[in-house]
Amino acid sequence: MQLNDVIQNETVDFTGIESPYFLLGLLSAFDNRFQAIADRLIGEISWKQFFTIICINLCRENPTLQQLADVMGTSHQNCKQLLLKLEKKGFVSLETDPADRRRQRIRLTEHCLAFCQQNDERSQRLMQQMFAGIPEEHLRITIQTIIQMEQQLTALAAPPAPSTDTKPE
């Protein structure tokens, strides 16, 4: 069932839900639906694994595990699990950083690069169809809104600054 069908469904009542709550729910539901469709289209790997590959490609050099987790917006543990699955399938290799042997760097394999090239046209078609008819200005506003939401969420999660109040002795 599509989001619009759910919104208009008589068995669900969205009246009275404030816009921020509705938007957050909408984003979550969209993410679930997109992931299910992308998993079917990609086939060999999951959408989350493919997203991991996309994020590795965004890095200027082979990233460390923590660098990749930061780019993906996920935990070190979740990132490690995705990488282990990708490594098992031959999509990435974990290599010791020559400058710091305590760190591992993530490298995309030739198999991965070939897979990406084979699926590039299908991926581009999906993106074109999904965003067809949506004005560029709407996309920019949506991007700005989500970035601002994330910044404010991060500020909420930050530990409080130490108090500068001095107490009399």
Side-chain angles (χ1 to χ4, degrees):
M1 185 178 279
Q2 293 182 348
L3 286 171
N4 204 35
D5 296 334
V6 172
I7 293 167
Q8 295 174 1
N9 190 319
E10 292 180 12
T11 61
V12 183
D13 182 11
F14 290 102
T15 57
I17 297 179
E18 295 177 32
S19 295
Y21 293 96
F22 188 78
L23 177 59
L24 196 56
L26 197 62
L27 288 170
S28 295
F30 173 80
D31 182 51
N32 291 336
R33 285 173 169 79
F34 178 78
Q35 184 174 337
I37 290 169
D39 283 351
R40 281 196 315 268
L41 288 174
I42 297 168
E44 189 175 343
I45 59 175
S46 71
W47 160 247
K48 286 187 178 188
Q49 292 167 346
F50 192 62
F51 180 66
T52 303
I53 291 167
I54 291 168
C55 290
I56 294 168
N57 264 327
L58 291 174
C59 297
R60 289 192 170 106
E61 62 179 350
N62 294 339
T64 64
L65 182 58
Q66 190 57 58
Q67 288 169 336
L68 181 59
D70 290 344
V71 171
M72 293 176 64
T74 192
S75 71
H76 183 275
Q77 294 91 335
N78 286 343
C79 187
K80 180 72 172 181
Q81 290 303 310
L82 287 163
L83 288 171
L84 290 174
K85 290 174 184 173
L86 285 169
E87 184 179 40
K88 192 172 188 177
K89 293 178 181 187
F91 282 79
V92 300
S93 65
L94 304 175
E95 302 171 349
T96 303
D97 185 336
D100 183 350
R101 301 195 55 75
R102 296 171 295 174
R103 292 185 179 185
Q104 288 187 317
R105 297 236 171 232
I106 304 147
R107 184 182 60 78
L108 300 177
T109 64
E110 292 299 320
H111 173 68
C112 180
L113 298 174
F115 174 85
C116 291
Q117 188 173 11
Q118 290 166 357
N119 288 283
D120 186 52
E121 184 179 322
R122 188 175 11 176
S123 177
Q124 285 183 21
R125 216 173 326 122
L126 169 66
M127 296 298 283
Q128 288 169 351
Q129 290 171 345
M130 189 167 54
F131 289 98
I134 300 174
E136 182 65 28
E137 180 62 19
H138 289 193
L139 294 174
R140 276 194 239 110
I141 290 169
T142 303
I143 290 166
Q144 291 169 349
T145 301
I146 292 172
I147 288 171
Q148 186 175 352
M149 288 166 53
E150 195 272 339
Q151 289 170 339
Q152 292 171 189
L153 179 66
T154 302
L156 286 172
S163 175
T164 56
D165 293 340
T166 56
K167 295 182 181 177
E169 294 181 26

Coordinates of all heavy atoms in Angstrom, one line a residue, residues 35-126:
Q35 N 13.3 1.1 1.0 CA 14.3 0.0 1.3 C 13.7 -1.3 0.7 O 14.5 -2.1 0.1 CB 14.5 -0.1 2.8 CG 15.5 -1.2 3.1 CD 15.9 -1.2 4.6 OE1 15.7 -0.3 5.3 NE2 16.4 -2.4 5.0
A36 N 12.4 -1.6 0.9 CA 11.8 -2.8 0.3 C 11.9 -2.9 -1.2 O 12.3 -3.9 -1.8 CB 10.4 -2.9 0.8
I37 N 11.6 -1.7 -1.8 CA 11.7 -1.7 -3.3 C 13.1 -1.8 -3.8 O 13.4 -2.5 -4.7 CB 11.0 -0.4 -3.8 CG1 9.5 -0.5 -3.6 CG2 11.3 -0.2 -5.3 CD1 8.7 0.7 -3.8
A38 N 14.0 -1.0 -3.2 CA 15.4 -1.1 -3.6 C 16.0 -2.4 -3.3 O 16.8 -2.9 -4.2 CB 16.2 0.0 -2.8
D39 N 15.7 -3.1 -2.3 CA 16.2 -4.5 -2.0 C 15.8 -5.4 -3.2 O 16.6 -6.2 -3.6 CB 15.6 -5.0 -0.7 CG 16.3 -4.5 0.5 OD1 17.3 -3.8 0.4 OD2 15.8 -4.8 1.6
R40 N 14.5 -5.3 -3.6 CA 14.1 -6.1 -4.8 C 14.8 -5.8 -6.1 O 15.2 -6.6 -6.8 CB 12.6 -6.0 -5.0 CG 11.8 -6.7 -4.0 CD 10.3 -6.9 -4.5 NE 9.7 -5.7 -5.0 CZ 9.0 -4.8 -4.2 NH1 8.8 -5.0 -2.9 NH2 8.4 -3.8 -4.8
L41 N 15.0 -4.5 -6.3 CA 15.7 -4.0 -7.5 C 17.2 -4.4 -7.6 O 17.7 -4.8 -8.6 CB 15.5 -2.5 -7.7 CG 14.1 -2.1 -8.1 CD1 14.0 -0.6 -8.1 CD2 13.7 -2.7 -9.5
I42 N 17.8 -4.2 -6.4 CA 19.3 -4.4 -6.4 C 19.6 -5.9 -6.5 O 20.4 -6.4 -7.2 CB 19.9 -3.8 -5.2 CG1 19.7 -2.3 -5.2 CG2 21.4 -4.1 -5.1 CD1 20.0 -1.5 -4.0
G43 N 18.8 -6.7 -5.7 CA 19.0 -8.2 -5.7 C 20.1 -8.8 -4.9 O 19.9 -9.3 -3.9
E44 N 21.3 -8.6 -5.4 CA 22.5 -9.4 -4.9 C 22.8 -8.9 -3.5 O 23.3 -9.6 -2.6 CB 23.7 -9.2 -5.8 CG 24.8 -10.1 -5.4 CD 26.0 -10.0 -6.4 OE1 25.7 -9.5 -7.6 OE2 27.1 -10.4 -6.1
I45 N 22.6 -7.6 -3.2 CA 22.9 -7.0 -1.9 C 21.7 -6.2 -1.5 O 20.8 -5.8 -2.3 CB 24.2 -6.2 -1.9 CG1 24.1 -5.0 -2.9 CG2 25.4 -7.0 -2.1 CD1 25.3 -4.1 -2.8
S46 N 21.6 -5.9 -0.2 CA 20.5 -5.1 0.3 C 20.7 -3.6 0.0 O 21.9 -3.2 -0.3 CB 20.4 -5.3 1.8 OG 21.4 -4.6 2.5
W47 N 19.7 -2.8 0.2 CA 19.8 -1.4 0.0 C 20.8 -0.8 1.0 O 21.6 0.1 0.7 CB 18.4 -0.6 0.1 CG 18.6 0.8 0.4 CD1 18.3 1.5 1.6 CD2 19.2 1.8 -0.4 NE1 18.6 2.8 1.5 CE2 19.2 3.0 0.3 CE3 19.8 1.8 -1.7 CZ2 19.7 4.2 -0.2 CZ3 20.3 3.0 -2.2 CH2 20.2 4.2 -1.5
K48 N 20.7 -1.2 2.3 CA 21.7 -0.7 3.3 C 23.1 -1.0 2.9 O 24.0 -0.2 3.1 CB 21.3 -1.3 4.7 CG 20.1 -0.6 5.2 CD 19.9 -1.1 6.7 CE 18.6 -0.4 7.2 NZ 18.5 -0.6 8.6
Q49 N 23.3 -2.2 2.3 CA 24.7 -2.5 1.9 C 25.1 -1.7 0.7 O 26.2 -1.2 0.6 CB 24.8 -4.0 1.5 CG 24.6 -4.9 2.7 CD 24.4 -6.4 2.4 OE1 24.1 -6.7 1.2 NE2 24.6 -7.3 3.3
F50 N 24.1 -1.4 -0.2 CA 24.4 -0.6 -1.4 C 24.7 0.9 -0.9 O 25.6 1.5 -1.4 CB 23.3 -0.6 -2.4 CG 23.6 0.0 -3.7 CD1 24.6 -0.5 -4.5 CD2 22.8 1.1 -4.2 CE1 24.9 0.1 -5.7 CE2 23.1 1.6 -5.4 CZ 24.1 1.1 -6.2
F51 N 23.9 1.3 0.1 CA 24.1 2.7 0.6 C 25.5 2.8 1.2 O 26.2 3.8 1.1 CB 23.1 3.0 1.7 CG 23.2 4.4 2.3 CD1 23.1 5.5 1.5 CD2 23.5 4.5 3.6 CE1 23.2 6.8 2.1 CE2 23.7 5.7 4.2 CZ 23.5 6.9 3.5
T52 N 26.0 1.7 1.9 CA 27.3 1.6 2.4 C 28.4 1.9 1.3 O 29.3 2.6 1.5 CB 27.6 0.3 3.2 OG1 26.6 0.1 4.2 CG2 29.0 0.2 3.8
I53 N 28.2 1.2 0.2 CA 29.1 1.3 -1.0 C 29.0 2.8 -1.5 O 30.1 3.4 -1.8 CB 28.7 0.3 -2.1 CG1 29.0 -1.1 -1.6 CG2 29.4 0.6 -3.4 CD1 28.4 -2.2 -2.4
I54 N 27.9 3.4 -1.6 CA 27.7 4.7 -2.0 C 28.5 5.7 -1.1 O 29.3 6.5 -1.6 CB 26.2 5.2 -2.1 CG1 25.5 4.4 -3.2 CG2 26.1 6.7 -2.3 CD1 24.0 4.5 -3.1
C55 N 28.4 5.5 0.2 CA 29.1 6.3 1.2 C 30.6 6.1 1.1 O 31.4 7.1 1.2 CB 28.6 6.0 2.6 SG 26.9 6.6 2.8
I56 N 31.1 4.9 0.8 CA 32.5 4.7 0.6 C 33.0 5.4 -0.6 O 34.0 6.1 -0.6 CB 32.8 3.1 0.5 CG1 32.5 2.4 1.8 CG2 34.3 2.9 0.0 CD1 32.5 0.9 1.6
N57 N 32.2 5.4 -1.6 CA 32.5 6.2 -2.9 C 32.6 7.7 -2.6 O 33.3 8.4 -3.4 CB 31.5 5.9 -4.0 CG 32.0 4.8 -4.9 OD1 33.2 4.6 -5.2 ND2 31.0 4.0 -5.4
L58 N 31.9 8.2 -1.7 CA 31.9 9.6 -1.4 C 33.2 10.1 -0.7 O 33.5 11.2 -0.8 CB 30.7 10.0 -0.5 CG 29.3 9.9 -1.1 CD1 28.2 10.1 0.0 CD2 29.1 10.9 -2.3
C59 N 33.8 9.1 -0.1 CA 35.1 9.5 0.6 C 36.2 9.7 -0.3 O 36.4 9.0 -1.3 CB 35.4 8.4 1.6 SG 34.2 8.1 2.9
R60 N 37.0 10.7 -0.1 CA 38.2 11.1 -1.0 C 39.3 10.0 -0.9 O 40.0 9.9 -1.9 CB 38.7 12.4 -0.6 CG 37.8 13.6 -0.9 CD 38.4 14.9 -0.8 NE 37.6 15.9 -1.4 CZ 36.9 16.8 -0.7 NH1 36.9 16.8 0.6 NH2 36.1 17.7 -1.3
E61 N 39.4 9.3 0.2 CA 40.3 8.2 0.3 C 39.6 7.1 1.0 O 38.5 7.2 1.5 CB 41.6 8.6 1.1 CG 41.3 9.0 2.5 CD 42.6 9.4 3.3 OE1 43.7 9.1 2.7 OE2 42.5 9.8 4.4
N62 N 40.2 5.9 0.9 CA 39.6 4.7 1.6 C 39.4 5.1 3.1 O 40.3 5.4 3.8 CB 40.5 3.5 1.4 CG 40.6 3.0 0.0 OD1 39.8 3.4 -0.8 ND2 41.6 2.3 -0.3
P63 N 38.1 5.1 3.5 CA 37.8 5.5 4.9 C 38.1 4.4 5.9 O 38.2 3.2 5.6 CB 36.3 5.7 4.8 CG 35.8 4.7 3.8 CD 36.9 4.7 2.7
T64 N 38.2 4.9 7.1 CA 38.3 4.0 8.3 C 36.9 3.6 8.6 O 35.9 4.3 8.2 CB 39.0 4.7 9.5 OG1 38.2 5.8 9.9 CG2 40.4 5.1 9.2
L65 N 36.7 2.7 9.5 CA 35.4 2.3 9.9 C 34.6 3.4 10.6 O 33.5 3.7 10.3 CB 35.5 1.1 10.9 CG 34.2 0.5 11.4 CD1 33.4 0.0 10.3 CD2 34.6 -0.6 12.4
Q66 N 35.3 4.2 11.5 CA 34.6 5.3 12.1 C 34.3 6.4 11.2 O 33.2 7.0 11.3 CB 35.5 5.8 13.3 CG 34.7 6.8 14.2 CD 33.5 6.2 14.8 OE1 33.5 5.2 15.4 NE2 32.3 6.8 14.5
Q67 N 35.2 6.7 10.2 CA 34.9 7.7 9.2 C 33.6 7.3 8.4 O 32.8 8.2 8.2 CB 36.1 7.9 8.3 CG 37.2 8.6 8.9 CD 38.5 8.6 8.1 OE1 38.7 7.7 7.2 NE2 39.4 9.5 8.3
L68 N 33.6 6.1 8.0 CA 32.4 5.6 7.2 C 31.1 5.7 8.1 O 30.1 6.1 7.6 CB 32.7 4.2 6.7 CG 31.5 3.6 5.9 CD1 31.2 4.5 4.6 CD2 31.9 2.2 5.4
A69 N 31.2 5.2 9.3 CA 30.0 5.3 10.2 C 29.5 6.7 10.3 O 28.3 6.9 10.3 CB 30.4 4.7 11.6
D70 N 30.4 7.7 10.5 CA 30.0 9.1 10.6 C 29.3 9.6 9.3 O 28.3 10.2 9.4 CB 31.3 10.0 10.8 CG 31.8 9.8 12.2 OD1 31.1 9.2 13.1 OD2 33.0 10.2 12.4
V71 N 29.9 9.2 8.1 CA 29.3 9.6 6.9 C 27.9 9.0 6.7 O 26.9 9.6 6.3 CB 30.1 9.1 5.7 CG1 29.4 9.3 4.3 CG2 31.4 9.9 5.6
M72 N 27.7 7.7 7.2 CA 26.4 7.0 7.0 C 25.4 7.4 8.1 O 24.2 7.2 7.9 CB 26.7 5.5 7.2 CG 27.4 4.9 6.0 SD 27.8 3.2 6.2 CE 26.1 2.5 6.2
G73 N 25.9 8.0 9.2 CA 25.0 8.4 10.3 C 24.6 7.2 11.1 O 23.4 7.1 11.5
T74 N 25.4 6.3 11.3 CA 25.1 5.0 12.0 C 26.2 4.8 13.0 O 27.2 5.4 13.1 CB 25.0 3.9 11.0 OG1 24.4 2.8 11.7 CG2 26.3 3.4 10.4
S75 N 26.0 3.7 13.8 CA 26.9 3.4 14.8 C 28.1 2.6 14.2 O 28.0 2.0 13.2 CB 26.3 2.5 15.9 OG 26.0 1.2 15.4
H76 N 29.2 2.6 15.0 CA 30.4 1.8 14.6 C 30.0 0.3 14.4 O 30.4 -0.3 13.5 CB 31.4 2.0 15.7 CG 32.7 1.3 15.5 ND1 32.9 0.0 15.8 CD2 33.9 1.8 15.0 CE1 34.2 -0.3 15.5 NE2 34.8 0.7 15.0
Q77 N 29.2 -0.2 15.4 CA 28.8 -1.6 15.3 C 27.9 -1.9 14.1 O 28.1 -3.0 13.4 CB 28.0 -2.0 16.6 CG 28.8 -2.0 17.8 CD 28.7 -0.6 18.5 OE1 28.4 0.4 17.9 NE2 29.0 -0.6 19.8
N78 N 26.9 -1.1 13.8 CA 26.1 -1.3 12.6 C 26.9 -1.3 11.3 O 26.7 -2.1 10.4 CB 25.0 -0.3 12.5 CG 23.9 -0.6 13.5 OD1 23.8 -1.6 14.1 ND2 23.1 0.5 13.8
C79 N 27.8 -0.3 11.2 CA 28.7 -0.2 10.1 C 29.6 -1.4 9.9 O 29.7 -2.0 8.8 CB 29.5 1.1 10.2 SG 30.5 1.5 8.8
K80 N 30.1 -1.9 11.0 CA 31.0 -3.1 11.0 C 30.2 -4.3 10.5 O 30.7 -5.1 9.7 CB 31.5 -3.4 12.4 CG 32.4 -4.6 12.5 CD 33.8 -4.3 11.8 CE 34.7 -5.4 12.1 NZ 36.0 -5.2 11.5
Q81 N 29.0 -4.5 10.9 CA 28.1 -5.6 10.5 C 27.9 -5.5 9.0 O 28.0 -6.5 8.3 CB 26.8 -5.6 11.2 CG 26.9 -6.0 12.7 CD 27.6 -7.4 12.9 OE1 27.3 -8.4 12.2 NE2 28.7 -7.4 13.7
L82 N 27.6 -4.3 8.5 CA 27.3 -4.2 7.0 C 28.6 -4.5 6.3 O 28.6 -5.2 5.2 CB 26.9 -2.7 6.7 CG 25.5 -2.4 7.1 CD1 25.2 -0.9 7.2 CD2 24.5 -3.1 6.2
L83 N 29.7 -4.0 6.8 CA 31.0 -4.3 6.1 C 31.4 -5.8 6.1 O 31.9 -6.3 5.1 CB 32.1 -3.5 6.7 CG 32.1 -2.0 6.4 CD1 33.1 -1.2 7.3 CD2 32.3 -1.7 5.0
L84 N 31.1 -6.4 7.2 CA 31.4 -7.9 7.2 C 30.6 -8.6 6.2 O 31.1 -9.6 5.5 CB 31.2 -8.4 8.6 CG 32.2 -8.0 9.7 CD1 31.8 -8.5 11.1 CD2 33.6 -8.4 9.4
K85 N 29.3 -8.3 6.0 CA 28.5 -8.9 5.0 C 29.0 -8.6 3.6 O 29.1 -9.5 2.7 CB 27.1 -8.5 5.2 CG 26.4 -9.1 6.4 CD 25.0 -8.5 6.6 CE 24.4 -9.0 7.9 NZ 23.2 -8.4 8.3
L86 N 29.4 -7.3 3.4 CA 29.9 -7.0 2.1 C 31.3 -7.6 1.8 O 31.5 -8.0 0.7 CB 30.1 -5.4 2.0 CG 28.8 -4.7 1.8 CD1 29.0 -3.2 2.0 CD2 28.1 -4.9 0.4
E87 N 32.1 -7.8 2.8 CA 33.4 -8.5 2.7 C 33.1 -9.9 2.3 O 33.8 -10.5 1.4 CB 34.2 -8.3 3.9 CG 35.6 -8.9 3.8 CD 36.4 -8.8 5.1 OE1 35.8 -8.9 6.2 OE2 37.6 -8.5 5.0
K88 N 32.2 -10.6 3.0 CA 31.9 -12.0 2.7 C 31.4 -12.2 1.2 O 31.7 -13.2 0.6 CB 30.8 -12.4 3.7 CG 30.6 -13.9 3.7 CD 29.7 -14.3 4.8 CE 29.6 -15.8 5.0 NZ 28.8 -16.2 6.1
K89 N 30.7 -11.2 0.7 CA 30.2 -11.2 -0.7 C 31.2 -10.8 -1.7 O 31.0 -10.7 -2.9 CB 28.9 -10.4 -0.8 CG 27.8 -11.0 0.0 CD 26.5 -10.2 -0.1 CE 25.4 -10.8 0.7 NZ 24.1 -10.1 0.5
G90 N 32.4 -10.3 -1.2 CA 33.5 -9.9 -2.1 C 33.4 -8.5 -2.6 O 34.0 -8.1 -3.6
F91 N 32.6 -7.6 -1.9 CA 32.4 -6.2 -2.4 C 33.4 -5.2 -1.8 O 33.7 -4.2 -2.3 CB 31.0 -5.8 -2.0 CG 29.9 -6.3 -3.0 CD1 29.5 -7.6 -2.9 CD2 29.4 -5.5 -4.0 CE1 28.5 -8.1 -3.8 CE2 28.5 -5.9 -4.9 CZ 28.0 -7.2 -4.8
V92 N 33.9 -5.6 -0.6 CA 34.9 -4.7 0.1 C 36.0 -5.5 0.6 O 35.8 -6.7 0.9 CB 34.3 -3.8 1.2 CG1 33.2 -2.9 0.7 CG2 33.8 -4.7 2.4
S93 N 37.1 -4.9 0.9 CA 38.2 -5.5 1.6 C 38.6 -4.6 2.7 O 38.6 -3.3 2.6 CB 39.4 -5.9 0.7 OG 40.0 -4.7 0.2
L94 N 39.0 -5.1 3.9 CA 39.4 -4.3 5.0 C 40.9 -4.5 5.1 O 41.5 -5.6 5.2 CB 38.8 -4.8 6.3 CG 37.2 -4.8 6.3 CD1 36.7 -5.4 7.6 CD2 36.7 -3.4 6.1
E95 N 41.6 -3.4 5.0 CA 43.1 -3.4 4.9 C 43.7 -2.6 6.0 O 43.2 -1.5 6.3 CB 43.5 -2.9 3.5 CG 43.0 -3.7 2.4 CD 43.2 -3.1 1.0 OE1 43.6 -1.9 0.9 OE2 42.9 -3.8 0.0
T96 N 44.8 -3.0 6.5 CA 45.5 -2.3 7.6 C 46.1 -1.0 7.0 O 46.7 -1.0 5.9 CB 46.7 -3.1 8.1 OG1 46.1 -4.4 8.6 CG2 47.4 -2.4 9.3
D97 N 45.8 0.1 7.7 CA 46.3 1.4 7.3 C 47.8 1.4 7.5 O 48.3 1.2 8.6 CB 45.7 2.5 8.2 CG 46.0 3.9 7.8 OD1 47.1 4.1 7.2 OD2 45.3 4.8 8.1
P98 N 48.6 1.7 6.5 CA 50.1 1.6 6.6 C 50.6 2.7 7.6 O 51.6 2.5 8.2 CB 50.6 1.9 5.2 CG 49.4 2.3 4.4 CD 48.2 1.9 5.1
A99 N 49.9 3.8 7.7 CA 50.3 4.9 8.6 C 50.0 4.7 10.0 O 50.6 5.2 10.9 CB 49.7 6.2 8.1
D100 N 49.0 3.8 10.3 CA 48.5 3.5 11.7 C 48.0 2.1 11.7 O 46.8 1.9 11.3 CB 47.5 4.5 12.1 CG 47.0 4.3 13.6 OD1 47.4 3.3 14.2 OD2 46.3 5.2 14.1
R101 N 48.8 1.2 12.1 CA 48.5 -0.2 12.0 C 47.3 -0.6 12.9 O 46.7 -1.7 12.7 CB 49.7 -1.1 12.3 CG 50.8 -0.8 11.3 CD 51.9 -1.8 11.2 NE 51.6 -3.1 11.0 CZ 51.3 -3.7 9.8 NH1 51.2 -2.9 8.7 NH2 51.0 -5.0 9.7
R102 N 46.8 0.3 13.7 CA 45.7 0.0 14.6 C 44.4 0.2 13.8 O 43.3 -0.3 14.2 CB 45.7 0.9 15.8 CG 46.8 0.7 16.8 CD 46.9 1.7 17.8 NE 47.1 3.0 17.1 CZ 47.1 4.2 17.7 NH1 46.8 4.3 19.0 NH2 47.4 5.3 17.0
R103 N 44.4 0.9 12.7 CA 43.3 1.2 11.9 C 43.2 0.3 10.7 O 44.2 -0.1 10.1 CB 43.3 2.7 11.5 CG 43.1 3.6 12.6 CD 43.1 5.0 12.0 NE 42.9 6.0 13.1 CZ 42.7 7.2 12.9 NH1 42.7 7.7 11.7 NH2 42.6 8.1 13.9
Q104 N 41.9 0.1 10.3 CA 41.7 -0.6 9.0 C 41.0 0.4 8.1 O 40.2 1.3 8.5 CB 40.8 -1.8 9.2 CG 41.4 -2.9 9.9 CD 40.5 -4.1 9.9 OE1 39.3 -4.0 10.2 NE2 41.0 -5.3 9.6
R105 N 41.4 0.3 6.8 CA 40.8 1.1 5.8 C 39.9 0.2 4.9 O 40.2 -0.9 4.7 CB 41.8 1.8 4.9 CG 42.7 2.8 5.7 CD 42.6 4.2 5.1 NE 43.3 5.1 6.0 CZ 42.7 6.2 6.4 NH1 41.5 6.5 6.0 NH2 43.3 7.1 7.2
I106 N 38.8 0.8 4.4 CA 37.9 0.0 3.6 C 38.1 0.4 2.1 O 38.1 1.5 1.7 CB 36.4 0.4 4.0 CG1 36.3 0.2 5.5 CG2 35.4 -0.4 3.2 CD1 35.3 1.1 6.2
R107 N 38.2 -0.7 1.3 CA 38.5 -0.5 -0.1 C 37.4 -1.3 -0.8 O 37.1 -2.4 -0.5 CB 39.8 -1.0 -0.5 CG 40.2 -0.8 -1.9 CD 41.6 -1.4 -2.3 NE 41.7 -2.8 -2.1 CZ 41.3 -3.7 -2.9 NH1 40.6 -3.4 -4.0 NH2 41.4 -5.0 -2.7
L108 N 36.8 -0.7 -1.9 CA 35.9 -1.4 -2.8 C 36.7 -2.3 -3.7 O 37.8 -1.9 -4.2 CB 35.1 -0.4 -3.6 CG 34.3 0.6 -2.8 CD1 33.6 1.6 -3.8 CD2 33.2 -0.1 -2.0
T109 N 36.2 -3.5 -3.9 CA 36.9 -4.5 -4.8 C 36.5 -4.3 -6.2 O 35.5 -3.6 -6.5 CB 36.5 -5.9 -4.3 OG1 35.1 -6.1 -4.6 CG2 36.8 -6.2 -2.9
E110 N 37.2 -5.0 -7.1 CA 36.9 -4.9 -8.5 C 35.5 -5.5 -8.8 O 34.8 -5.0 -9.6 CB 37.9 -5.7 -9.3 CG 39.3 -5.1 -9.3 CD 39.3 -3.7 -10.0 OE1 38.6 -3.5 -11.0 OE2 40.0 -2.8 -9.5
H111 N 35.1 -6.5 -8.0 CA 33.8 -7.1 -8.1 C 32.7 -6.1 -7.8 O 31.7 -6.0 -8.5 CB 33.7 -8.3 -7.1 CG 32.3 -8.9 -7.0 ND1 31.7 -9.5 -8.1 CD2 31.4 -8.9 -6.0 CE1 30.5 -9.9 -7.7 NE2 30.3 -9.5 -6.5
C112 N 33.0 -5.3 -6.8 CA 32.0 -4.2 -6.4 C 31.9 -3.2 -7.5 O 30.8 -2.7 -7.9 CB 32.5 -3.6 -5.1 SG 31.4 -2.3 -4.5
L113 N 33.1 -2.7 -8.0 CA 33.1 -1.7 -9.0 C 32.3 -2.2 -10.3 O 31.6 -1.4 -10.9 CB 34.5 -1.3 -9.4 CG 35.3 -0.6 -8.2 CD1 36.7 -0.4 -8.6 CD2 34.6 0.6 -7.7
A114 N 32.5 -3.5 -10.6 CA 31.8 -4.0 -11.8 C 30.3 -4.1 -11.5 O 29.5 -3.8 -12.4 CB 32.4 -5.4 -12.1
F115 N 29.9 -4.5 -10.3 CA 28.5 -4.5 -9.9 C 27.9 -3.2 -10.0 O 26.8 -3.0 -10.6 CB 28.4 -5.1 -8.5 CG 27.0 -5.0 -7.9 CD1 26.1 -6.1 -8.2 CD2 26.6 -4.0 -7.2 CE1 24.8 -6.0 -7.7 CE2 25.3 -3.9 -6.6 CZ 24.4 -5.0 -6.9
C116 N 28.6 -2.1 -9.5 CA 28.0 -0.8 -9.6 C 27.9 -0.3 -11.0 O 26.9 0.3 -11.4 CB 29.0 0.2 -8.8 SG 28.9 -0.1 -7.0
Q117 N 28.8 -0.6 -11.9 CA 28.7 -0.2 -13.3 C 27.6 -1.0 -13.9 O 26.8 -0.3 -14.7 CB 30.0 -0.6 -14.0 CG 30.1 0.0 -15.4 CD 31.5 -0.2 -16.0 OE1 32.3 -0.9 -15.5 NE2 31.7 0.4 -17.1
Q118 N 27.4 -2.2 -13.6 CA 26.3 -3.0 -14.2 C 24.9 -2.5 -13.8 O 23.9 -2.6 -14.5 CB 26.4 -4.5 -13.8 CG 27.5 -5.2 -14.5 CD 27.8 -6.6 -13.8 OE1 27.1 -6.9 -12.8 NE2 28.7 -7.3 -14.3
N119 N 24.8 -1.9 -12.6 CA 23.5 -1.5 -12.0 C 23.3 0.0 -12.1 O 22.3 0.5 -11.7 CB 23.4 -1.9 -10.6 CG 23.2 -3.4 -10.5 OD1 22.1 -3.9 -10.7 ND2 24.2 -4.2 -10.2
D120 N 24.3 0.7 -12.7 CA 24.2 2.2 -12.8 C 23.0 2.7 -13.5 O 22.3 3.6 -13.1 CB 25.5 2.8 -13.4 CG 25.5 4.3 -13.4 OD1 25.3 4.8 -12.2 OD2 25.7 4.9 -14.4
E121 N 22.7 2.1 -14.7 CA 21.6 2.6 -15.5 C 20.2 2.3 -14.8 O 19.4 3.2 -14.7 CB 21.6 1.8 -16.8 CG 20.5 2.3 -17.8 CD 20.5 1.6 -19.1 OE1 21.6 1.3 -19.6 OE2 19.4 1.3 -19.6
R122 N 20.1 1.1 -14.1 CA 18.9 0.8 -13.4 C 18.7 1.8 -12.2 O 17.6 2.3 -12.0 CB 18.9 -0.6 -12.9 CG 17.7 -1.1 -12.3 CD 17.7 -2.5 -11.9 NE 18.9 -3.2 -12.0 CZ 19.1 -4.5 -11.6 NH1 18.1 -5.2 -11.2 NH2 20.3 -5.0 -11.7
S123 N 19.8 2.1 -11.5 CA 19.8 3.0 -10.4 C 19.3 4.4 -10.9 O 18.5 5.1 -10.2 CB 21.1 3.0 -9.7 OG 21.1 4.0 -8.7
Q124 N 19.9 4.9 -12.0 CA 19.6 6.2 -12.5 C 18.1 6.3 -12.9 O 17.4 7.3 -12.7 CB 20.5 6.5 -13.7 CG 21.9 6.9 -13.3 CD 22.7 7.3 -14.5 OE1 22.2 7.7 -15.5 NE2 24.0 7.3 -14.3
R125 N 17.6 5.2 -13.5 CA 16.2 5.1 -13.9 C 15.3 5.2 -12.7 O 14.3 5.9 -12.7 CB 15.9 3.8 -14.7 CG 15.0 4.0 -15.8 CD 14.8 2.8 -16.7 NE 16.0 2.0 -16.9 CZ 16.2 0.7 -16.5 NH1 15.1 0.0 -16.1 NH2 17.3 0.0 -16.7
L126 N 15.6 4.5 -11.7 CA 14.8 4.5 -10.4 C 14.8 6.0 -9.9 O 13.7 6.5 -9.5 CB 15.4 3.6 -9.4 CG 14.9 3.7 -7.9 CD1 13.4 3.3 -7.9 CD2 15.7 2.9 -7.0

